Amino acid sequence: MKRKVHVILKKGELLAKKLEGKTVVIFDILLATSTIAAALQQGATKVIPVKNEEEAREKAKTYKPDEIALVGEYGGKTIEGFFDPNSSTLKQHVQNKTIILSTTNGTVAIHKAEKAKHVYAASLLNGEAVASAVCQPSQDETVLLVCSGSSGRFCLEDLYGAGYFISCLLRLKAFHLTDAAKAALLFYEAYEHSPVEILKQSAVGGILTQYGFLDEISFVSRKNIYSVVPKVVKTKLVNGEETICLK
């Protein structure tokens, strides 16, 4: 029997009671899941996703300052005192450090999905690597692809990322696609060779372009350049508090 793949168009539609026994893959192409992939690829020991700036600063207190890097944005603007969540510029800040990441949408979506059996973060940068992990024989659950969206709204770039991911899955194994999954795949196939243009035309892409981050859009539009597979695990902080992180 083929495993089912379904696409959820925004994080607000993700219901905790329907996550049991399922594999969830989170997409926030601009920028959280791209940032997570880049941080881990570039030497971070783990990424702790948090819901907001306040939670990030509280978690930071449980570490020595040289053990962590605070990375984050809210509403597309870098949080004061945090590093930009830009995949192309993280390398100099993240090596051998715990990253505490706060974003408007992606990190919130990860927390909403934490009750699932498996939770991954995927982007265009590492889609093939995550797809390969999802296709392992030990995993036979329904696969939910979650487009994080932006402030409760659907995002074009996340649908494109989900469509790309489905194309990666289908190169490895046969799946049953729901209509939402088919729509994502058809959208991706129609614009397969125009990732930069799709990302620029999205609402979030327009905001990032306005803020001068066009180079970042070009960077995260590259496909399959990273081999990392960010997966949610539970870990204990120095103070004994249990939290989730991606490794």
Side-chain angles (χ1 to χ4, degrees):
M1 185 175 178
K2 295 179 183 177
R3 294 170 68 188
K4 183 169 75 173
V5 178
H6 180 54
V7 174
I8 295 175
L9 296 180
K10 49 188 180 181
K11 61 183 179 296
E13 298 173 358
L14 192 61
L15 302 177
K17 63 183 179 181
K18 294 188 176 182
L19 294 178
E20 186 176 351
K22 292 182 172 65
T23 290
V24 173
V25 185
I26 304 291
F27 297 86
D28 184 359
I29 303 300
L30 296 173
L31 286 166
T33 57
S34 298
T35 301
I36 290 166
L40 293 174
Q41 184 76 31
Q42 295 168 359
T45 56
K46 61 186 174 187
V47 177
I48 298 176
V50 296
K51 299 174 185 175
N52 51 44
E53 175 187 351
E54 182 181 7
E55 184 181 346
R57 295 192 187 279
E58 282 301 311
K59 280 200 168 37
K61 292 176 183 177
T62 66
Y63 290 88
K64 296 176 182 177
D66 61 354
E67 294 176 334
I68 62 167
L70 283 167
V71 179
E73 56 76 29
Y74 184 78
K77 294 183 179 180
T78 304
I79 299 170
E80 185 176 353
F82 287 47
F83 293 115
D84 292 332
N86 291 345
S87 306
S88 60
T89 60
L90 282 175
K91 189 172 184 178
Q92 57 188 312
H93 308 302
V94 303
Q95 286 188 320
N96 301 315
K97 291 189 177 183
T98 292
I99 308 306
I100 300 176
L101 177 66
S102 177
T103 69
T104 314
N105 302 293
T107 54
V108 176
I110 290 168
H111 276 274
K112 286 181 70 69
E114 65 178 294
K115 299 295 184 183
K117 186 175 181 180
H118 305 288
V119 182
Y120 298 92
S123 64
L124 300 179
L125 299 169
N126 68 331
E128 287 192 14
V130 178
S132 181
V134 169
C135 286
Q136 291 303 307
S138 61
Q139 299 196 38
D140 58 4
E141 308 82 18
T142 294
V143 183
L144 296 179
L145 309 184
V146 179
C147 300
S148 294
S150 177
S151 300
R153 296 184 296 272
F154 160 76
C155 281
L156 196 66
E157 69 276 10
D158 293 342
L159 186 68
Y160 187 83
Y164 167 62
F165 188 79
I166 293 168
S167 75
C168 294
L169 288 176
L170 294 178
R171 286 198 293 269
L172 298 168
K173 197 172 181 179
F175 287 85
H176 170 73
L177 305 184
T178 66
D179 280 2
K182 290 176 183 176
L185 178 62
L186 288 170
F187 174 64
Y188 169 72
E189 289 177 339
Y191 298 99
E192 179 178 358
H193 303 296
S194 307
V196 176
E197 289 308 309
I198 290 297
L199 268 58
K200 281 171 57 180
Q201 288 183 37
S202 71
V204 176
I207 292 171
L208 290 175
T209 300
Q210 180 183 342
Y211 290 157
F213 292 124
L214 185 57
D215 287 347
E216 185 63 17
I217 293 174
S218 297
F219 186 90
V220 302
S221 71
R222 296 189 293 172
K223 300 170 188 172
N224 191 34
I225 65 167
Y226 290 160
S227 60
V228 293
V229 180
K231 185 176 182 180
V232 169
V233 297
K234 290 187 176 179
T235 187
K236 284 191 176 181
L237 302 178
V238 176
N239 64 358
E241 175 191 351
E242 191 173 67
T243 190
I244 63 170
C245 70
L246 296 112
K247 291 185 175 182

